[in-house]
Amino acid sequence: MRFLELAGVQVPVIGQGTWRMGEDPSRHAEEVAALRRGIEQGMTLIDTAEMYGEGGAEKVVGEAIAGQRDQVFLVSKVYPHNASKKGIPQACERSLRRLNSDYIDLYLLHWRGQYPLEETVEAFERLRDAGKIGRWGVSNFDVDDMQELAAPACATNQVLYNLEERGIEFDLLPWCQQHHQPLMAYCPIGQGGQLLAHPTLKQIAARHSVTPAQVALAWIVRQDGVIAIPKAVRPEHVDLNAQAAQLQLETGDLEALDQAFRAPHRKQRLAMV
Ligand code: NDP
C-alpha cells in the first residue's frame, strides 16, 4: 500500500467505502469479513456515514474494527439536516455508539444544507477540542463552496471522481492540490457499472494482466493528494482493490485513457450521486 499525508496523519491512498452495507442483515457477516480482509491488506481508511443503511453501515464498521481500532482511520459523515450547533454533537454521539469507538478520525459534512457553514465549522471545532473527532472536512463541495468555507483546517473534500466523471480536473482538483487538502474520490470504479466494460480499459488491463477496476483505481491514485475509496464485499474484489495501489500506468496507457475519456476543457457542475 502507498500512503499520503492528510492533516498530519499518513493514510492509505486506497481505502474502503461502505455505502449499501448494513442494509440487509443476511449480508452482515460477509460485510464485516470484507472490511476486515481489506484492513489486513492495508486499506485501513474506512469511509462510512450516518446515512448509510440509516446507521446500519456504521454498525458493520464497528464490528469490523473491534479489537483493532488503532489500526484504522475512521471517516464518517453527518447529514446536512443534523449539521447545526445542537445537532452535530448529538449525531456524532449516535455515530460513536454505533461505531463502538470513542472518536472518529475524520468527520465530514455529507453535503451542503440549510445551516450556515460557520455554525457547522464551530460545532466541528468543539468536537475536535473535546477529542470526539480528530479532524473534520466536507463532501460534495465545489470550488465556490470551498472558497466560501475558506478554512485551512478543512482536512478533505470527498467528491465523485472517476474516468467517466473528470469535471473536477478543470478547477476543483487543482484548487485542492494548491491548498494541500487531499481529495477523496468516491464511486472510483463507477459503482461497478458500464465503466468496467469499456474496451480501452479492458485493453490496458489485459496488457498489465490486471482488471479494468484496478486500472480505474490506479488512474485515480497516481495523482498527488488523491485517495480512492472503493466499496467491495466480494473477497476477490477486496484483494484486487488493495493490489491496485501498486499498479504503475505508463505514459501510453494514460494517453489512451485521455482519448477514451476526455478531460474537461471548461467548468462543469460538480457531479454527485
Ligand atoms: P464504487 O465505485 O466503489 O463501486 C462499488 C461496486 O463495485 C460494488 O458493486 C462492488 O461489488 C463493485 N466492485 C468493487 N471492487 C470491484 C472490483 N475490483 N472489480 C469489479 N467490481 C468491483 O461505488 P460506491 O458508490 O460504493 O462508492 C465508493 C464509496 O464512496 C461508497 O461506498 C461510500 O463510502 C462513498 N460515497 C460517498 C458519497 C458522498 O456523497 N460523499 C456518495 C457515494 C459514495 P461488491 O460490493 O459486490 O464487491
Side-chain angles (χ1 to χ4, degrees), residues 167-195:
I168 64 163
E169 288 174 31
F170 184 76
D171 52 357
L172 183 62
L173 178 56
W175 193 94
C176 290
Q177 286 169 331
Q178 272 159 24
H179 290 81
H180 307 289
Q181 289 175 334
L183 185 135
M184 227 177 260
Y186 74 67
C187 304
I189 51 175
Q191 302 193 298
Q194 276 307 302
L195 172 64

PDB file of all heavy atoms in Angstrom, residues 167-195:
ATOM      1  N   GLY A 167     -14.841  16.072 -14.447  1.00  0.00           N
ATOM      2  CA  GLY A 167     -15.069  17.519 -14.369  1.00  0.00           C
ATOM      3  C   GLY A 167     -14.195  18.248 -13.365  1.00  0.00           C
ATOM      4  O   GLY A 167     -13.741  19.373 -13.613  1.00  0.00           O
ATOM      5  N   ILE A 168     -13.902  17.620 -12.246  1.00  0.00           N
ATOM      6  CA  ILE A 168     -13.130  18.313 -11.181  1.00  0.00           C
ATOM      7  C   ILE A 168     -11.699  18.616 -11.601  1.00  0.00           C
ATOM      8  O   ILE A 168     -11.036  19.443 -10.979  1.00  0.00           O
ATOM      9  CB  ILE A 168     -13.111  17.516  -9.856  1.00  0.00           C
ATOM     10  CG1 ILE A 168     -12.393  16.175 -10.015  1.00  0.00           C
ATOM     11  CG2 ILE A 168     -14.523  17.330  -9.302  1.00  0.00           C
ATOM     12  CD1 ILE A 168     -11.998  15.543  -8.683  1.00  0.00           C
ATOM     13  N   GLU A 169     -11.223  17.958 -12.669  1.00  0.00           N
ATOM     14  CA  GLU A 169      -9.837  18.219 -13.094  1.00  0.00           C
ATOM     15  C   GLU A 169      -9.662  19.651 -13.600  1.00  0.00           C
ATOM     16  O   GLU A 169      -8.556  20.177 -13.616  1.00  0.00           O
ATOM     17  CB  GLU A 169      -9.420  17.235 -14.201  1.00  0.00           C
ATOM     18  CG  GLU A 169      -9.217  15.835 -13.680  1.00  0.00           C
ATOM     19  CD  GLU A 169      -8.954  14.835 -14.798  1.00  0.00           C
ATOM     20  OE1 GLU A 169      -8.377  15.208 -15.834  1.00  0.00           O
ATOM     21  OE2 GLU A 169      -9.350  13.665 -14.627  1.00  0.00           O
ATOM     22  N   PHE A 170     -10.778  20.260 -14.020  1.00  0.00           N
ATOM     23  CA  PHE A 170     -10.666  21.622 -14.560  1.00  0.00           C
ATOM     24  C   PHE A 170     -10.338  22.638 -13.465  1.00  0.00           C
ATOM     25  O   PHE A 170      -9.530  23.543 -13.674  1.00  0.00           O
ATOM     26  CB  PHE A 170     -11.969  22.022 -15.266  1.00  0.00           C
ATOM     27  CG  PHE A 170     -11.893  23.359 -15.920  1.00  0.00           C
ATOM     28  CD1 PHE A 170     -11.210  23.516 -17.116  1.00  0.00           C
ATOM     29  CD2 PHE A 170     -12.457  24.482 -15.318  1.00  0.00           C
ATOM     30  CE1 PHE A 170     -11.105  24.748 -17.720  1.00  0.00           C
ATOM     31  CE2 PHE A 170     -12.345  25.721 -15.911  1.00  0.00           C
ATOM     32  CZ  PHE A 170     -11.683  25.870 -17.117  1.00  0.00           C
ATOM     33  N   ASP A 171     -10.958  22.473 -12.282  1.00  0.00           N
ATOM     34  CA  ASP A 171     -10.772  23.513 -11.267  1.00  0.00           C
ATOM     35  C   ASP A 171     -10.670  22.992  -9.833  1.00  0.00           C
ATOM     36  O   ASP A 171      -9.753  23.356  -9.110  1.00  0.00           O
ATOM     37  CB  ASP A 171     -11.904  24.560 -11.357  1.00  0.00           C
ATOM     38  CG  ASP A 171     -13.298  23.933 -11.343  1.00  0.00           C
ATOM     39  OD1 ASP A 171     -13.403  22.682 -11.329  1.00  0.00           O
ATOM     40  OD2 ASP A 171     -14.290  24.685 -11.351  1.00  0.00           O
ATOM     41  N   LEU A 172     -11.572  22.089  -9.436  1.00  0.00           N
ATOM     42  CA  LEU A 172     -11.584  21.688  -8.021  1.00  0.00           C
ATOM     43  C   LEU A 172     -10.335  20.908  -7.609  1.00  0.00           C
ATOM     44  O   LEU A 172      -9.758  21.172  -6.547  1.00  0.00           O
ATOM     45  CB  LEU A 172     -12.856  20.865  -7.725  1.00  0.00           C
ATOM     46  CG  LEU A 172     -13.039  20.430  -6.268  1.00  0.00           C
ATOM     47  CD1 LEU A 172     -13.156  21.632  -5.340  1.00  0.00           C
ATOM     48  CD2 LEU A 172     -14.266  19.534  -6.117  1.00  0.00           C
ATOM     49  N   LEU A 173      -9.923  19.968  -8.444  1.00  0.00           N
ATOM     50  CA  LEU A 173      -8.748  19.165  -8.080  1.00  0.00           C
ATOM     51  C   LEU A 173      -7.493  20.042  -7.950  1.00  0.00           C
ATOM     52  O   LEU A 173      -6.808  19.984  -6.924  1.00  0.00           O
ATOM     53  CB  LEU A 173      -8.559  18.011  -9.080  1.00  0.00           C
ATOM     54  CG  LEU A 173      -7.351  17.107  -8.855  1.00  0.00           C
ATOM     55  CD1 LEU A 173      -7.335  16.491  -7.467  1.00  0.00           C
ATOM     56  CD2 LEU A 173      -7.303  15.994  -9.916  1.00  0.00           C
ATOM     57  N   PRO A 174      -7.197  20.909  -8.968  1.00  0.00           N
ATOM     58  CA  PRO A 174      -6.023  21.783  -8.774  1.00  0.00           C
ATOM     59  C   PRO A 174      -6.168  22.705  -7.565  1.00  0.00           C
ATOM     60  O   PRO A 174      -5.181  22.971  -6.868  1.00  0.00           O
ATOM     61  CB  PRO A 174      -5.949  22.598 -10.073  1.00  0.00           C
ATOM     62  CG  PRO A 174      -7.010  22.100 -10.973  1.00  0.00           C
ATOM     63  CD  PRO A 174      -7.763  20.994 -10.312  1.00  0.00           C
ATOM     64  N   TRP A 175      -7.386  23.166  -7.303  1.00  0.00           N
ATOM     65  CA  TRP A 175      -7.613  24.042  -6.138  1.00  0.00           C
ATOM     66  C   TRP A 175      -7.235  23.298  -4.850  1.00  0.00           C
ATOM     67  O   TRP A 175      -6.528  23.840  -3.997  1.00  0.00           O
ATOM     68  CB  TRP A 175      -9.085  24.491  -6.090  1.00  0.00           C
ATOM     69  CG  TRP A 175      -9.338  25.616  -5.139  1.00  0.00           C
ATOM     70  CD1 TRP A 175      -9.349  26.944  -5.433  1.00  0.00           C
ATOM     71  CD2 TRP A 175      -9.598  25.513  -3.722  1.00  0.00           C
ATOM     72  NE1 TRP A 175      -9.596  27.678  -4.287  1.00  0.00           N
ATOM     73  CE2 TRP A 175      -9.749  26.827  -3.228  1.00  0.00           C
ATOM     74  CE3 TRP A 175      -9.700  24.449  -2.833  1.00  0.00           C
ATOM     75  CZ2 TRP A 175     -10.008  27.108  -1.879  1.00  0.00           C
ATOM     76  CZ3 TRP A 175      -9.949  24.721  -1.493  1.00  0.00           C
ATOM     77  CH2 TRP A 175     -10.102  26.025  -1.031  1.00  0.00           C
ATOM     78  N   CYS A 176      -7.703  22.060  -4.716  1.00  0.00           N
ATOM     79  CA  CYS A 176      -7.418  21.277  -3.504  1.00  0.00           C
ATOM     80  C   CYS A 176      -5.916  20.996  -3.405  1.00  0.00           C
ATOM     81  O   CYS A 176      -5.336  21.059  -2.313  1.00  0.00           O
ATOM     82  CB  CYS A 176      -8.194  19.967  -3.502  1.00  0.00           C
ATOM     83  SG  CYS A 176      -9.966  20.212  -3.266  1.00  0.00           S
ATOM     84  N   GLN A 177      -5.285  20.697  -4.551  1.00  0.00           N
ATOM     85  CA  GLN A 177      -3.840  20.424  -4.527  1.00  0.00           C
ATOM     86  C   GLN A 177      -3.060  21.663  -4.093  1.00  0.00           C
ATOM     87  O   GLN A 177      -2.144  21.579  -3.277  1.00  0.00           O
ATOM     88  CB  GLN A 177      -3.378  19.922  -5.905  1.00  0.00           C
ATOM     89  CG  GLN A 177      -3.838  18.476  -6.146  1.00  0.00           C
ATOM     90  CD  GLN A 177      -3.664  18.003  -7.576  1.00  0.00           C
ATOM     91  OE1 GLN A 177      -3.715  18.806  -8.518  1.00  0.00           O
ATOM     92  NE2 GLN A 177      -3.505  16.702  -7.760  1.00  0.00           N
ATOM     93  N   GLN A 178      -3.467  22.837  -4.631  1.00  0.00           N
ATOM     94  CA  GLN A 178      -2.778  24.085  -4.236  1.00  0.00           C
ATOM     95  C   GLN A 178      -2.925  24.368  -2.745  1.00  0.00           C
ATOM     96  O   GLN A 178      -2.039  24.925  -2.118  1.00  0.00           O
ATOM     97  CB  GLN A 178      -3.381  25.267  -4.982  1.00  0.00           C
ATOM     98  CG  GLN A 178      -2.750  25.538  -6.332  1.00  0.00           C
ATOM     99  CD  GLN A 178      -3.693  26.362  -7.215  1.00  0.00           C
ATOM    100  OE1 GLN A 178      -4.564  27.072  -6.731  1.00  0.00           O
ATOM    101  NE2 GLN A 178      -3.528  26.232  -8.522  1.00  0.00           N
ATOM    102  N   HIS A 179      -4.077  23.994  -2.191  1.00  0.00           N
ATOM    103  CA  HIS A 179      -4.344  24.269  -0.772  1.00  0.00           C
ATOM    104  C   HIS A 179      -3.964  23.095   0.136  1.00  0.00           C
ATOM    105  O   HIS A 179      -4.303  23.101   1.314  1.00  0.00           O
ATOM    106  CB  HIS A 179      -5.818  24.657  -0.580  1.00  0.00           C
ATOM    107  CG  HIS A 179      -6.139  25.997  -1.169  1.00  0.00           C
ATOM    108  ND1 HIS A 179      -6.383  26.180  -2.515  1.00  0.00           N
ATOM    109  CD2 HIS A 179      -6.202  27.217  -0.599  1.00  0.00           C
ATOM    110  CE1 HIS A 179      -6.596  27.470  -2.742  1.00  0.00           C
ATOM    111  NE2 HIS A 179      -6.493  28.119  -1.605  1.00  0.00           N
ATOM    112  N   HIS A 180      -3.260  22.120  -0.435  1.00  0.00           N
ATOM    113  CA  HIS A 180      -2.787  20.956   0.339  1.00  0.00           C
ATOM    114  C   HIS A 180      -3.923  20.280   1.093  1.00  0.00           C
ATOM    115  O   HIS A 180      -3.768  19.889   2.250  1.00  0.00           O
ATOM    116  CB  HIS A 180      -1.650  21.355   1.291  1.00  0.00           C
ATOM    117  CG  HIS A 180      -0.544  22.059   0.570  1.00  0.00           C
ATOM    118  ND1 HIS A 180       0.302  21.401  -0.297  1.00  0.00           N
ATOM    119  CD2 HIS A 180      -0.189  23.352   0.536  1.00  0.00           C
ATOM    120  CE1 HIS A 180       1.134  22.263  -0.828  1.00  0.00           C
ATOM    121  NE2 HIS A 180       0.862  23.471  -0.346  1.00  0.00           N
ATOM    122  N   GLN A 181      -5.080  20.191   0.441  1.00  0.00           N
ATOM    123  CA  GLN A 181      -6.213  19.485   1.032  1.00  0.00           C
ATOM    124  C   GLN A 181      -6.469  18.243   0.181  1.00  0.00           C
ATOM    125  O   GLN A 181      -7.015  18.343  -0.924  1.00  0.00           O
ATOM    126  CB  GLN A 181      -7.459  20.383   1.080  1.00  0.00           C
ATOM    127  CG  GLN A 181      -7.318  21.497   2.114  1.00  0.00           C
ATOM    128  CD  GLN A 181      -8.469  22.490   2.106  1.00  0.00           C
ATOM    129  OE1 GLN A 181      -9.125  22.681   1.094  1.00  0.00           O
ATOM    130  NE2 GLN A 181      -8.696  23.141   3.235  1.00  0.00           N
ATOM    131  N   PRO A 182      -6.059  17.058   0.652  1.00  0.00           N
ATOM    132  CA  PRO A 182      -6.266  15.858  -0.161  1.00  0.00           C
ATOM    133  C   PRO A 182      -7.732  15.680  -0.527  1.00  0.00           C
ATOM    134  O   PRO A 182      -8.623  16.030   0.251  1.00  0.00           O
ATOM    135  CB  PRO A 182      -5.809  14.722   0.754  1.00  0.00           C
ATOM    136  CG  PRO A 182      -4.884  15.357   1.721  1.00  0.00           C
ATOM    137  CD  PRO A 182      -5.383  16.758   1.914  1.00  0.00           C
ATOM    138  N   LEU A 183      -7.943  15.151  -1.712  1.00  0.00           N
ATOM    139  CA  LEU A 183      -9.302  14.952  -2.206  1.00  0.00           C
ATOM    140  C   LEU A 183      -9.617  13.452  -2.138  1.00  0.00           C
ATOM    141  O   LEU A 183      -8.769  12.626  -2.444  1.00  0.00           O
ATOM    142  CB  LEU A 183      -9.346  15.454  -3.645  1.00  0.00           C
ATOM    143  CG  LEU A 183     -10.687  15.465  -4.349  1.00  0.00           C
ATOM    144  CD1 LEU A 183     -10.859  16.798  -5.088  1.00  0.00           C
ATOM    145  CD2 LEU A 183     -10.786  14.333  -5.336  1.00  0.00           C
ATOM    146  N   MET A 184     -10.829  13.134  -1.699  1.00  0.00           N
ATOM    147  CA  MET A 184     -11.216  11.731  -1.589  1.00  0.00           C
ATOM    148  C   MET A 184     -12.202  11.431  -2.709  1.00  0.00           C
ATOM    149  O   MET A 184     -13.258  12.067  -2.795  1.00  0.00           O
ATOM    150  CB  MET A 184     -11.892  11.534  -0.236  1.00  0.00           C
ATOM    151  CG  MET A 184     -11.410  10.335   0.515  1.00  0.00           C
ATOM    152  SD  MET A 184     -12.197  10.253   2.132  1.00  0.00           S
ATOM    153  CE  MET A 184     -10.903  10.913   3.124  1.00  0.00           C
ATOM    154  N   ALA A 185     -11.861  10.468  -3.569  1.00  0.00           N
ATOM    155  CA  ALA A 185     -12.685  10.161  -4.750  1.00  0.00           C
ATOM    156  C   ALA A 185     -13.686   9.069  -4.421  1.00  0.00           C
ATOM    157  O   ALA A 185     -13.297   7.926  -4.140  1.00  0.00           O
ATOM    158  CB  ALA A 185     -11.788   9.710  -5.896  1.00  0.00           C
ATOM    159  N   TYR A 186     -14.981   9.429  -4.487  1.00  0.00           N
ATOM    160  CA  TYR A 186     -15.993   8.381  -4.285  1.00  0.00           C
ATOM    161  C   TYR A 186     -16.491   7.854  -5.633  1.00  0.00           C
ATOM    162  O   TYR A 186     -16.262   8.492  -6.662  1.00  0.00           O
ATOM    163  CB  TYR A 186     -17.096   8.834  -3.334  1.00  0.00           C
ATOM    164  CG  TYR A 186     -18.144   9.836  -3.789  1.00  0.00           C
ATOM    165  CD1 TYR A 186     -19.084   9.536  -4.777  1.00  0.00           C
ATOM    166  CD2 TYR A 186     -18.252  11.072  -3.151  1.00  0.00           C
ATOM    167  CE1 TYR A 186     -20.074  10.437  -5.138  1.00  0.00           C
ATOM    168  CE2 TYR A 186     -19.240  11.991  -3.498  1.00  0.00           C
ATOM    169  CZ  TYR A 186     -20.150  11.663  -4.502  1.00  0.00           C
ATOM    170  OH  TYR A 186     -21.131  12.545  -4.849  1.00  0.00           O
ATOM    171  N   CYS A 187     -17.126   6.666  -5.595  1.00  0.00           N
ATOM    172  CA  CYS A 187     -17.506   5.929  -6.815  1.00  0.00           C
ATOM    173  C   CYS A 187     -16.310   5.810  -7.765  1.00  0.00           C
ATOM    174  O   CYS A 187     -16.439   6.036  -8.983  1.00  0.00           O
ATOM    175  CB  CYS A 187     -18.671   6.572  -7.559  1.00  0.00           C
ATOM    176  SG  CYS A 187     -20.140   6.804  -6.573  1.00  0.00           S
ATOM    177  N   PRO A 188     -15.122   5.446  -7.258  1.00  0.00           N
ATOM    178  CA  PRO A 188     -13.919   5.462  -8.108  1.00  0.00           C
ATOM    179  C   PRO A 188     -13.958   4.460  -9.242  1.00  0.00           C
ATOM    180  O   PRO A 188     -13.255   4.634 -10.234  1.00  0.00           O
ATOM    181  CB  PRO A 188     -12.791   5.126  -7.119  1.00  0.00           C
ATOM    182  CG  PRO A 188     -13.463   4.351  -6.032  1.00  0.00           C
ATOM    183  CD  PRO A 188     -14.825   4.963  -5.887  1.00  0.00           C
ATOM    184  N   ILE A 189     -14.785   3.407  -9.097  1.00  0.00           N
ATOM    185  CA  ILE A 189     -14.878   2.453 -10.212  1.00  0.00           C
ATOM    186  C   ILE A 189     -16.281   2.485 -10.814  1.00  0.00           C
ATOM    187  O   ILE A 189     -16.778   1.482 -11.330  1.00  0.00           O
ATOM    188  CB  ILE A 189     -14.471   1.023  -9.784  1.00  0.00           C
ATOM    189  CG1 ILE A 189     -15.221   0.591  -8.520  1.00  0.00           C
ATOM    190  CG2 ILE A 189     -12.983   0.928  -9.538  1.00  0.00           C
ATOM    191  CD1 ILE A 189     -14.952  -0.843  -8.132  1.00  0.00           C
ATOM    192  N   GLY A 190     -16.900   3.680 -10.731  1.00  0.00           N
ATOM    193  CA  GLY A 190     -18.200   3.868 -11.387  1.00  0.00           C
ATOM    194  C   GLY A 190     -19.269   2.918 -10.881  1.00  0.00           C
ATOM    195  O   GLY A 190     -20.128   2.480 -11.651  1.00  0.00           O
ATOM    196  N   GLN A 191     -19.217   2.600  -9.620  1.00  0.00           N
ATOM    197  CA  GLN A 191     -20.190   1.693  -8.976  1.00  0.00           C
ATOM    198  C   GLN A 191     -20.237   0.319  -9.647  1.00  0.00           C
ATOM    199  O   GLN A 191     -21.268  -0.354  -9.647  1.00  0.00           O
ATOM    200  CB  GLN A 191     -21.583   2.344  -8.919  1.00  0.00           C
ATOM    201  CG  GLN A 191     -21.541   3.681  -8.158  1.00  0.00           C
ATOM    202  CD  GLN A 191     -22.895   4.215  -7.796  1.00  0.00           C
ATOM    203  OE1 GLN A 191     -23.693   4.502  -8.675  1.00  0.00           O
ATOM    204  NE2 GLN A 191     -23.159   4.361  -6.509  1.00  0.00           N
ATOM    205  N   GLY A 192     -19.119  -0.059 -10.229  1.00  0.00           N
ATOM    206  CA  GLY A 192     -19.027  -1.392 -10.835  1.00  0.00           C
ATOM    207  C   GLY A 192     -19.890  -1.546 -12.085  1.00  0.00           C
ATOM    208  O   GLY A 192     -20.210  -2.668 -12.478  1.00  0.00           O
ATOM    209  N   GLY A 193     -20.230  -0.422 -12.728  1.00  0.00           N
ATOM    210  CA  GLY A 193     -21.143  -0.459 -13.881  1.00  0.00           C
ATOM    211  C   GLY A 193     -20.422  -0.484 -15.219  1.00  0.00           C
ATOM    212  O   GLY A 193     -19.362  -1.118 -15.375  1.00  0.00           O
ATOM    213  N   GLN A 194     -21.002   0.270 -16.191  1.00  0.00           N
ATOM    214  CA  GLN A 194     -20.540   0.285 -17.585  1.00  0.00           C
ATOM    215  C   GLN A 194     -19.053   0.589 -17.753  1.00  0.00           C
ATOM    216  O   GLN A 194     -18.408   0.062 -18.651  1.00  0.00           O
ATOM    217  CB  GLN A 194     -21.336   1.351 -18.357  1.00  0.00           C
ATOM    218  CG  GLN A 194     -22.678   0.856 -18.862  1.00  0.00           C
ATOM    219  CD  GLN A 194     -22.521  -0.429 -19.671  1.00  0.00           C
ATOM    220  OE1 GLN A 194     -21.804  -0.470 -20.662  1.00  0.00           O
ATOM    221  NE2 GLN A 194     -23.158  -1.506 -19.228  1.00  0.00           N
ATOM    222  N   LEU A 195     -18.541   1.438 -16.883  1.00  0.00           N
ATOM    223  CA  LEU A 195     -17.128   1.841 -16.990  1.00  0.00           C
ATOM    224  C   LEU A 195     -16.219   0.619 -17.133  1.00  0.00           C
ATOM    225  O   LEU A 195     -15.297   0.615 -17.957  1.00  0.00           O
ATOM    226  CB  LEU A 195     -16.728   2.660 -15.745  1.00  0.00           C
ATOM    227  CG  LEU A 195     -15.256   2.995 -15.590  1.00  0.00           C
ATOM    228  CD1 LEU A 195     -14.776   3.899 -16.724  1.00  0.00           C
ATOM    229  CD2 LEU A 195     -14.980   3.673 -14.243  1.00  0.00           C
TER     230      LEU A 195
END
